Amino acid sequence: MPKRALACDALVAAGLALAALLLLATLAHQLPPALFERETGLDAWFQSDIPRVLANMVDAGSNHYRTKVHPIASILIHPMVTGLRALWPGTDLQAAMRFAYLVAALWVLSFYALCRVLGGGRVVAACFSLLAIGSAAFQFWFSVPETYGLGSLTLLWVLLVAALAAHQPVGDRLLLAASIASLAITVTNWVAGLALALVQRPWRRALAISAAAFMAVAAIAVAQRFLYRFAKFFFLGSREEADYVNLERSGTVLDKLAAMFWHPISLPEVLSVPSVPPGLDWVTVQLSAPASGGWAGVSALVLWSLLLAAGAVGLLRAERWRRFAAVLGLTLGAQVLLHLVYGDETFLYAAHFLPLLMAVAVCATHVLPHALAAAMALAAAGLAAFHNAAMYEDAVRLLQHAR
């Protein structure tokens, strides 16, 4: 690609990242301080552990026990937040939010690059990137200090390697790096790294790459245990996760599927669950109907569903992208099967679904005219951004102290 074309792409991607950061900063400014305090904010934001994650980001002496499912998140995130704080002093929350914004910017840049590698033109890549930025998953999970944004970014990197492999051979080192990244933040996301190795290499070589990735992350986890005394070893498992399997309150299979395929793009009506004083009431969308958010949300869902269906057809028809489709399909299928049985609030994992679903949708350009796909994505982006910003305000309004 000529240098001038690369410069244009860099300028467009940077503009998109800047727009995303402005949106996230505007949204985050609405959040009440009580959401970040352990006594009041735990589980309030769609069952997330924001106060604990915030403490882990800024305090080495806090309880890092969730490293049993987030293998080396602490040893990766805490030093980066500390470094950012040294360069740009601020409060605990400010430092953690700046890291979250950095992850968001990298996510936008990486997704734009993925669109271009998948064959989308500059306009197509920009329009689909705007759709991702306007999505509920992006607005709600990249605007708070959580691990889901970084986990989503590692999944995106695996897809980017898989897409690059359709253009030129990729070496074992790159496959190993992608596998390590996918395992580093959330243990179940390793399925992406495993799928990538299995699709790109004979099974014995894939097994060797995967074993090397596991050993590398395990070695770092051991070092992490010495630096963060409350950290746990992910390879010993977590009995606690059994408490989140087949919960009746998580609804039906259809409720969960809607939360996987529709809620990440357009959030339905946000509901409030009473908490115990002094905590904030919890917000949830687990049992909300997909079309309950208003006309803009419904319109965005219609366009999104058409793009998603066209993208699925495009992946199945395009011979060149068969291996990419295999990696994407295996990863998405594993995530769906997992969250049909695991989890209380499926929207909690929306950021992990976002890169997978958006990658499918971008492939709509393989069966639709690029101009039409871009126009549909741009229209869906505008509707989704407007709708999800309103839902964000509703969610913040519902974060009231329990009575």
Side-chain angles (χ1 to χ4, degrees):
M1 185 180 289
K3 290 184 178 180
R4 186 173 180 179
L6 283 174
C8 287
D9 276 321
L11 187 62
V12 172
L16 290 166
L18 179 60
L21 294 182
L22 291 174
L23 173 63
L24 294 175
T26 302
L27 294 171
H29 186 70
Q30 305 174 47
L31 297 171
L35 180 62
F36 306 102
E37 298 172 6
R38 188 168 186 85
E39 295 78 13
T40 54
L42 200 63
D43 293 330
W45 193 251
F46 304 97
Q47 294 292 308
S48 63
D49 296 337
I50 289 176
R52 177 192 56 78
V53 176
L54 172 59
N56 291 169
M57 285 181 167
V58 300
D59 183 7
S62 63
N63 194 345
H64 293 256
Y65 79 101
R66 290 299 284 172
T67 47
K68 57 188 175 181
V69 291
H70 301 290
I72 54 174
S74 293
I75 201 172
L76 293 177
I77 297 175
H78 175 255
M80 286 192 281
V81 173
T82 301
L84 283 173
R85 198 172 194 173
L87 295 172
W88 190 357
T91 64
D92 288 351
L93 181 58
Q94 287 172 337
M97 289 305 302
R98 287 164 187 163
F99 175 76
Y101 295 154
L102 175 61
V103 171
L106 290 173
W107 197 100
V108 173
L109 296 175
S110 299
F111 181 72
Y112 180 86
L114 177 64
C115 292
R116 295 291 277 138
V117 174
L118 287 173
R122 198 169 290 127
V123 173
V124 168
C127 290
F128 276 92
S129 295
L130 286 172
L131 176 54
I133 293 168
S135 70
F138 192 87
Q139 290 192 26
F140 281 77
W141 293 116
F142 286 84
S143 62
V144 294
E146 256 292 357
T147 59
Y148 298 107
L150 189 55
S152 178
L153 179 60
T154 63
L155 287 173
L156 188 50
W157 285 343
V158 171
L159 295 180
L160 190 54
V161 173
L164 286 171
H167 294 272
Q168 61 186 44
V170 293
D172 286 356
R173 291 182 180 179
L174 190 55
L175 297 180
L176 175 62
S179 188
I180 290 172
S182 65
L183 176 58
I185 305 302
T186 304
V187 67
T188 52
N189 283 354
W190 193 29
V191 67
L194 294 172
L196 178 65
L198 184 62
V199 170
Q200 293 294 330
R201 295 291 187 271
W203 74 267
R204 285 188 177 86
R205 191 61 188 160
L207 182 61
I209 291 171
S210 301
F214 182 90
M215 293 303 295
V217 175
I220 297 172
V222 172
Q224 177 179 250
R225 179 64 179 81
F226 287 102
L227 295 172
Y228 304 90
R229 62 191 181 93
F230 292 108
K232 305 295 182 183
F233 295 129
F234 75 96
F235 46 79
L236 298 180
S238 172
R239 294 181 179 179
E240 179 187 353
E241 307 318 304
D243 296 336
Y244 306 109
V245 174
N246 289 327
L247 297 175
E248 185 176 349
R249 62 178 180 269
S250 65
T252 66
V253 170
L254 292 180
D255 290 325
K256 296 173 184 178
L257 289 174
M260 294 178 211
F261 289 94
W262 281 346
H263 295 3
I265 303 301
S266 176
L267 205 69
E269 180 185 11
V270 181
L271 304 176
S272 177
V273 178
S275 182
V276 177
L280 295 172
D281 288 338
W282 301 351
V283 290
T284 178
V285 291
Q286 186 65 22
L287 302 181
S288 300
S292 61
W295 67 269
V298 173
S299 301
L301 278 183
V302 171
L303 290 169
W304 166 250
S305 299
L306 293 173
L307 286 170
L308 196 62
V313 173
L315 278 174
L316 293 174
R317 285 186 179 179
E319 181 67 31
R320 179 183 183 182
W321 300 105
R322 284 291 171 84
R323 289 191 173 185
F324 175 80
V327 174
L328 178 54
L330 287 170
T331 305
L332 181 56
Q335 292 283 356
V336 169
L337 290 176
L338 170 66
H339 293 296
L340 282 176
V341 297
Y342 178 84
D344 190 349
E345 179 79 32
T346 310
F347 183 63
L348 181 64
Y349 312 100
H352 290 168
F353 280 97
L354 183 62
L356 308 175
L357 297 175
M358 288 301 307
V360 175
V362 170
C363 293
T365 56
H366 297 165
V367 293
L368 297 177
H370 282 209
L372 177 59
M376 292 173 66
L378 184 61
L383 290 164
F386 170 78
H387 168 76
N388 291 321
M391 292 297 100
Y392 200 100
E393 290 183 5
D394 286 350
V396 171
R397 178 177 51 81
L398 292 171
L399 286 174
Q400 303 293 330
H401 282 282
R403 294 186 177 90

